[in-house]
Amino acid sequence: MITVVGTGTGAPVPGDALAGAALVVGGRRHLDAAELPAGAERIVLGPLAPALDAIAERVAEKRPVTVLASGDPGFFGIVRALAERFGAGLLDVRPGVSSVSGAFARIGLPWDDAVVVSAHGRALRTAVNLCRAHPKVAVLTGPGSGPAELGAALAADTEDTGPGPGTGTGTGTGTDMGVGTDTDTDTDTDSGTGTGRGVGANTGTGIGVGMGTGTSTGTGTGTHTGTGTGADISAGTGVGHDGGGGAHGPARRTLVVVRALGDPEHERVERVTPAEAAARDWGTAVSVVLCLDEAREADGMRTVAGLPGRPSRWALEESAFAHRDSMITKFEVRALALARLGPGPGDLVWDVGAGSGSVAVECARLGAAVVAVEKAPDGVERISANARAHGVGVRVVHGTAPDALSGLADDPDAVFVGGGGRELPAVVGACARRARRTVVVAMAALDRVPAAREALTRAGFTCDGVLLQSSRLAPLPGDVTRLAATNPVFLLWGVRTPAPDEGVAQ
């Protein structure tokens, strides 16, 4: 029999779990804290394979083995490896309080709505992207994937990759209501509030809010209410969108670092910003870090724990997004683009030339971390507003591709390129050089397709594409319906060819 005991979060090891054990396996701190039976062999866990081989020898001899693990050994723990090697029937598992549940208990929060990800012995990027995309994440840490490394990755999102906050003088439009009593033409002047946009001192886009004067003119007898437009020139402080901008940017993140959980003398629970976490040496006593966006509203009562369920609908109607003059990726195009991008939890997606941000928001709704790059200041505002309206986090970078891409630290899994222009081949090439999986390009101009395709194939992508043209039902007078054609769009996608693995040890 193999007895697996969860410890390390304050609960002592039961005496009967160790009684008679011929072999005790565990981490050094677990072994040092336990009273081992006389004559029992002790193995400090390092590489797992030698420990499993030693356990197999004792099992073959029908001698009892005890394994000491952290917290709940069935939750990202050693129970999986033991069950796969020896079978579940040979295990007596006695779970303790997991580090995740203990950490959330320390700060008084429920965790059925938390995403839990292990970075222990794994690449950190999945954990980082989940922290970017979700408001409540627990990261199980390990060597090289601790609070300092996690904080550094998240803090990099807030570095200035584009125009920043500035104070500017902007011109806005104010709407006033004038009321006059007259039997002839009357002109009323009142104050209206306008929002002005200007360029701040540090080249950032600023928003100034001030009072403008509007003129209301109307003709009529009796009481007249007229609406007029007033021009407002106002000096105000504007907030630009930089690398940390967006609906729910990483600047709002709080990291809760829990050290020596369960140790009454050394346990510490600290709330820090990502930048503060990156600047410290946390030692080896950290097993979990909570990443919280406390500005995001809680989901309320849950039925299914962990990741939120996938949305019941995607490729939403254009009316679900604020956009300018129908400048938005139509839902038919978006449906195929999403299918080729394949966004999901743990992924990082770029939406380059994002416009309204409809693709960015849809990718975020599917669980991916998303960066939207947009050159127009009003587009930046619109993307943020659309992300807020759909309750997702999108980092918005104000800048022009391809130059703005050089400030993005992490390579994306997938990229969507919208719009066009003379720089399209350079933009597609820059995206293809960094995309880990796929690049999808939408073009209205057919003559831009060859250059975009060449940029993808030159970067080593396998390329395919399709011309999409749809006709939608549209009502006509007399309760009849016609087909209204939409503008054709060419969708091109490239998939990175996997490197051959012949001759490589797996």
Side-chain angles (χ1 to χ4, degrees):
M1 178 63 69
I2 303 171
T3 303
V4 189
V5 182
T7 182
T9 52
V13 179
D16 66 321
L18 292 168
L23 173 66
V24 181
V25 179
R28 186 177 302 278
R29 67 187 178 94
H30 298 145
L31 293 172
D32 290 344
E35 295 184 9
L36 305 188
E41 184 182 353
R42 145 184 173 141
I43 294 180
V44 178
L45 268 178
L48 191 57
L52 293 177
D53 291 341
I55 293 171
E57 292 178 10
R58 305 307 184 280
V59 169
E61 299 168 354
K62 300 187 182 304
R63 300 175 67 188
V65 176
T66 298
V67 178
L68 304 181
S70 294
D72 183 348
F75 187 71
F76 287 105
I78 199 170
V79 167
R80 181 181 300 278
L82 292 173
E84 289 174 352
R85 178 75 177 266
F86 304 107
L90 203 61
L91 304 183
D92 174 15
V93 181
R94 305 184 186 187
V97 177
S98 73
S99 57
V100 174
S101 61
F104 277 109
R106 295 298 189 270
I107 62 173
L109 288 180
W111 63 285
D112 55 347
D113 56 345
V115 178
V116 182
V117 56
S118 177
H120 187 92
R122 301 164 173 86
L124 188 61
R125 73 173 277 122
T126 298
V128 172
N129 289 332
L130 286 167
C131 288
R132 288 167 171 153
H134 298 279
K136 186 187 288 186
V137 181
V139 181
L140 298 170
T141 60
S145 299
E149 292 83 2
L150 180 63
L154 294 174
D157 290 348
T158 65
E159 293 175 359
D160 193 7
T161 58
T167 300
T169 299
T171 301
T173 301
T175 301
D176 83 292
M177 299 297 291
V179 178
T181 302
D182 206 334
T183 58
D184 202 345
T185 301
D186 67 321
T187 300
D188 300 305
T189 301
D190 292 282
S191 293
T193 300
T195 300
R197 185 183 306 280
V199 177
N202 69 342
T203 73
T205 300
I207 305 296
V209 178
M211 298 299 294
T213 300
T215 302
S216 169
T217 304
T219 303
T221 301
T223 300
H224 159 68
T225 301
T227 301
T229 300
D232 162 40
I233 307 296
S234 60
T237 300
V239 179
H241 290 251
D242 59 14
H248 303 288
R252 299 181 180 184
R253 300 286 173 184
T254 298
L255 297 185
V256 180
V257 183
V258 184
R259 288 188 288 177
L261 184 64
D263 186 329
E265 295 183 6
H266 301 101
E267 180 180 301
R268 298 289 185 274
V269 179
E270 298 182 63
R271 290 175 176 262
V272 294
T273 66
E276 290 168 341
R280 291 176 56 177
D281 180 358
W282 294 93
T284 60
V286 177
S287 59
V288 63
V289 176
L290 309 182
C291 183
L292 308 176
D293 183 350
E294 295 171 303
R296 297 270 293 272
E297 292 184 3
D299 290 340
M301 186 175 293
R302 299 289 294 270
T303 301
V304 179
L307 282 167
R310 292 173 67 89
S312 59
R313 299 174 62 245
W314 52 91
L316 302 175
E317 297 83 355
E318 293 88 67
S319 59
F321 305 94
H323 53 89
R324 177 177 61 85
D325 301 330
S326 296
M327 299 296 290
I328 184 173
T329 304
K330 302 301 187 288
F331 68 76
E332 300 94 334
V333 178
R334 232 180 305 127
L336 182 55
L338 290 169
R340 294 295 178 262
L341 290 168
D347 285 342
L348 175 62
V349 179
W350 290 355
D351 183 359
V352 180
S356 66
S358 61
V359 173
V361 169
E362 295 248 32
C363 289
R365 292 178 72 241
L366 293 168
V370 183
V371 177
V373 179
E374 173 56 37
K375 66 180 180 180
D378 60 338
V380 170
E381 301 272 1
R382 198 173 291 115
I383 296 165
S384 295
N386 282 327
R388 283 193 299 271
H390 288 274
V392 295
V394 173
R395 176 187 172 196
V396 187
V397 174
H398 180 203
T400 302
D403 294 342
L405 306 180
S406 62
L408 303 180
D410 291 344
D411 291 339
D413 295 281
V415 183
F416 178 78
V417 180
R422 297 176 182 174
E423 296 295 321
L424 182 63
V427 173
V428 174
C431 293
R433 284 189 291 274
R434 297 188 60 182
R436 294 159 55 91
R437 186 174 69 226
T438 187
V439 177
V440 179
V441 188
M443 296 160 284
L446 188 61
D447 53 358
R448 302 198 190 281
V449 174
R453 184 181 183 190
E454 182 183 358
L456 289 172
T457 55
R458 191 186 305 121
F461 283 70
T462 301
C463 200
D464 204 348
V466 65
L467 181 68
L468 291 177
Q469 186 170 12
S470 63
S471 295
R472 300 180 180 180
L473 296 179
L476 283 174
D479 198 24
V480 295
T481 304
R482 69 181 181 91
L483 288 174
T486 61
N487 291 329
V489 174
F490 202 97
L491 202 69
L492 194 69
W493 58 88
V495 179
R496 186 173 293 284
T497 305
D501 59 7
E502 291 87 349
V504 178
Q506 299 296 309

